[in-house]
Amino acid sequence: MNHFFIKTAWRNSESIFFVFLSLLVLLLVSACHQATPLYKKEFTPEQKTQYAKQLLDGVGRYYQGMPENYFLMQEALSLDTSNADIYRELGVAPLKRGLISQFQDGYAKAVELNPLAWQAWRGYLHLYFHRDYNNAIKDFDAADPLTPNFVDYPQSQSIDLMRGICYLMKEDYPRALHYFDKHFAYESKEIGIKYLENKAFLYQGISHFKMGAFQKAIDIFDLGLQYNTTAPDLYFWKAKCLLALQGDAKAITTTVEQVKQQFNRRNQRGYVEEFYQLYWSDVEELEAALENL
Amino acid sequence: MKQPLNIALLLGLLAVASIYATQKKENNNFLANPDILKTGIVHKYYYSITEKGGYTSETDIEYRYYQQGKTSNELIEKRYNPAFKQDWESTYQLQGNKVKLEQRSTMNWYGDTLNFGLGDERIYLNFGTDEALSEVSISYPNGFSRHITQETRAIGDTLINEMPAKIVTRNRTIVNTKVDQTVDTTEVKIKEIYVQNFGLWSMVGEDDKQSYELILVEQLLPEPFKKMAQHDMKRVGYIDFDKTLDKEKPFSLCKRQIEMVDYYNSSDVANRAHFIGGKKPLKAYVFDRLEEQKLHKESGYLTFRFVVNCEGKAGRFTTDQSSFEYAQKEFHPETVQHLYEILKSVPQWSPNTGRGQIRDAYTYITFILKDGKITELLP
């Protein structure tokens, strides 16, 4: 019984051994056939930063706001979540297309990550695209101390000029003049009065006009016209001042003629209207008022 | 009796394993593994272009989906852009070391498919030693044509992550013509690396203006890739016509919706889609018809996005409603309806004009309301 048991056990263990060995060989063979694991590139931190930037630059290959742009930006963010420019770019198409409720999705994060680059810029957008003067002022005021002794120019426009426009539109004319005067003094000193754009004179003059200081306004418009001889907006507001002062009808007529001749050179903006946008109907209304003088 | 049988079995299996291992060593396949190609594999690449001088580098994403065709010798390659839109398809015949181009087509912006013309020389790749030649051309509906010839040669072996790989060079000549006049000719020198049982690993190239780089970032299986491609994402500001305030009313586009531009797509401000005369007469039009009690003391930004078609008719109105804190909000339905009816009643708008055409355009008007008063209109 014992002998039989041992022999059977030996035979069984022998079989088990060979089956095990066979399985091992089969396993080895099948391991050779096993699919290679899917490849995924490991980027260095430097490569991640670089490719995130390049992917963001790559969005220009597609029309702004297309899904292609979105996926490129998401890819860029998967590599570098600290790149403020990507968040900013995500906000541009909603901004241009009037999707105001989506505006902050990108810009708030961009400002948080890089206020030096985007705080004043967002102020510019609040001012022109949303006519949101309070939030524009908040952004300009927050951005200004970030660059001490230096005037910021988001989208090539002085934040002092834009702060002045904000207060002008809020009908706070003394504060508007404070910033227009500041802008005027700084620009005159740094680059020279003859390089000042006509809007610096225009909005400063309009602030005086609104306060009833018509002669002061005329002096500013005249100064602006010395360097911007073809600016119909300056001629128009000068004519309004002359009319308000009930000045010489001939002088007013001559000024209005200048407005009409130079009308096509009026201030205009790309996506939105200018503040105090000049219309042909404004000129007609001025002429009608002149007839009643 | 049983023991020798087992040993024979074991030896047999070892022999199979050893033959398999030997075969693996002599494998000359530098495309994806044929077993993988039966189900398909997707390679995700970063494609970068750098201006000579190194001032700007741009990177795009390109997906290449490889799959076996009708037979085991047929290889299909489909290329997709970052939004998973297919923009390229080629069919190749695998002939030993050679990869012969059988068919190629491209899908342009608006979904039309254009087929390439193939020349007599169609060897796209050769992992052997002799030179491969290929020639393709394509004509676009706008009269622009492109003719591409290339000489390809495997110039050596290398190792990528300890895997055998082939270095392939290409001299590509691209001739662009417009109405039978040669516009420009570009010579591109390219170096590609193909890894055994894997496929294209990388590419670098340059012409006289730019350098190019293609790197493999990731491999994906077809199913996850297809799921990613089913995103249904539209452009920012897309209007779903079935979800508009005036969806029941007749309105037609002059062209397809996919070809619509935005109101500001014109270099001249006067050519942008707008209320005739600008914002000043629009304000007058609105205030003439305004019933202020219908504004319900509302505050915030109420935007109507709509289409101004090439005939200057407005339709397919939708809204974006925001608080002054830039959060979504809901205006009183009567406020929305009243301002919508005023805008809808405008008989004629000035349509967008650009590139010599009058075009359908997405447009918007925002009412800024404060305590039930309209204080401003945008844009």
Side-chain angles (χ1 to χ4, degrees), chain B residues 288-306:
Chain B
D288 282 351
R289 289 156 181 80
L290 190 67
E291 296 173 44
E292 215 163 75
Q293 75 280 6
K294 291 184 176 175
L295 300 184
H296 292 280
K297 308 270 180 214
E298 284 281 14
S299 293
Y301 295 99
L302 176 52
T303 298
F304 290 89
R305 284 188 46 79
F306 53 99

Side-chain angles (χ1 to χ4, degrees), chain B residues 75-134:
Chain B
L75 174 69
I76 295 170
E77 180 199 32
K78 296 175 183 174
R79 295 188 190 178
Y80 296 80
N81 77 9
F84 309 95
K85 284 182 197 154
Q86 191 184 343
D87 54 14
W88 197 269
E89 181 164 341
S90 303
T91 305
Y92 302 98
Q93 275 295 323
L94 308 181
Q95 299 175 340
N97 282 325
K98 294 178 181 171
V99 179
K100 186 180 180 188
L101 181 62
E102 290 290 324
Q103 179 272 337
R104 175 166 289 172
S105 51
T106 182
M107 297 76 186
N108 72 10
W109 260 124
Y110 302 127
D112 298 328
T113 299
L114 300 172
N115 289 319
F116 280 80
L118 306 182
D120 295 335
E121 302 288 353
R122 284 188 270 152
I123 306 301
Y124 180 73
L125 261 174
N126 182 6
F127 296 114
T129 50
D130 49 326
E131 189 173 73
L133 297 170
S134 69

Side-chain angles (χ1 to χ4, degrees), chain B residues 128-298:
Chain B
T129 50
D130 49 326
E131 189 173 73
L133 297 170
S134 69
E135 190 178 1
V136 296
S137 57
I138 188 163
S139 297
Y140 294 92
N142 62 1
F144 179 82
S145 298
R146 174 168 286 182
H147 187 87
I148 305 167
T149 52
Q150 63 180 3
E151 301 161 3
T152 305
R153 191 185 291 274
I155 59 160
D157 299 311
T158 187
L159 285 174
I160 298 290
N161 291 347
E162 299 177 357
M163 293 184 289
K166 284 277 182 199
I167 303 168
V168 171
T169 60
R170 292 182 194 277
N171 289 326
R172 183 178 290 166
T173 304
I174 304 166
V175 180
N176 293 319
T177 55
K178 177 104 182 184
V179 199
D180 296 333
Q181 293 278 315
T182 299
V183 178
D184 58 62
T185 301
T186 308
E187 302 282 347
V188 193
K189 292 196 179 302
I190 295 166
K191 188 167 88 175
E192 294 171 342
I193 294 178
Y194 290 83
V195 175
Q196 195 173 67
N197 279 321
F198 198 87
L200 179 62
W201 175 264
S202 67
M203 178 276 281
V204 289
E206 67 172 338
D207 57 34
D208 58 340
K209 292 180 187 144
Q210 297 169 320
S211 61
Y212 311 90
E213 178 201 64
L214 188 82
I215 59 162
L216 179 64
V217 175
E218 190 177 1
Q219 285 183 305
L220 300 157
L221 291 173
E223 281 312 309
F225 176 76
K226 283 174 187 168
K227 274 185 190 163
M228 288 158 74
Q230 288 168 355
H231 55 76
D232 199 31
M233 178 174 284
K234 308 288 187 196
R235 73 196 286 286
V236 173
Y238 171 84
I239 297 175
D240 182 344
F241 287 3
D242 293 330
K243 293 177 182 168
T244 52
L245 296 166
D246 55 341
K247 63 186 174 193
E248 308 297 341
K249 297 190 176 157
F251 182 73
S252 60
L253 297 177
C254 304
K255 289 196 172 179
R256 292 176 294 175
Q257 191 175 4
I258 198 171
E259 295 174 75
M260 274 175 57
V261 298
D262 286 292
Y263 79 95
Y264 53 77
N265 288 143
S266 184
S267 53
D268 186 345
V269 173
N271 288 336
R272 296 173 180 183
H274 62 275
F275 186 88
I276 294 170
K279 206 157 77 174
K280 186 181 174 192
L282 173 60
K283 280 180 185 169
Y285 185 91
V286 169
F287 283 109
D288 282 351
R289 289 156 181 80
L290 190 67
E291 296 173 44
E292 215 163 75
Q293 75 280 6
K294 291 184 176 175
L295 300 184
H296 292 280
K297 308 270 180 214
E298 284 281 14

Side-chain angles (χ1 to χ4, degrees), chain A residues 62-63 75 97 132 270 282, chain B residues 46 60 262 272 280 326:
Chain A
Y62 302 94
Y63 181 60
E75 183 79 10
R97 296 172 197 172
D132 178 355
D282 294 328
Chain B
Y46 281 176
D60 200 357
D262 286 292
R272 296 173 180 183
K280 186 181 174 192
Y326 302 96

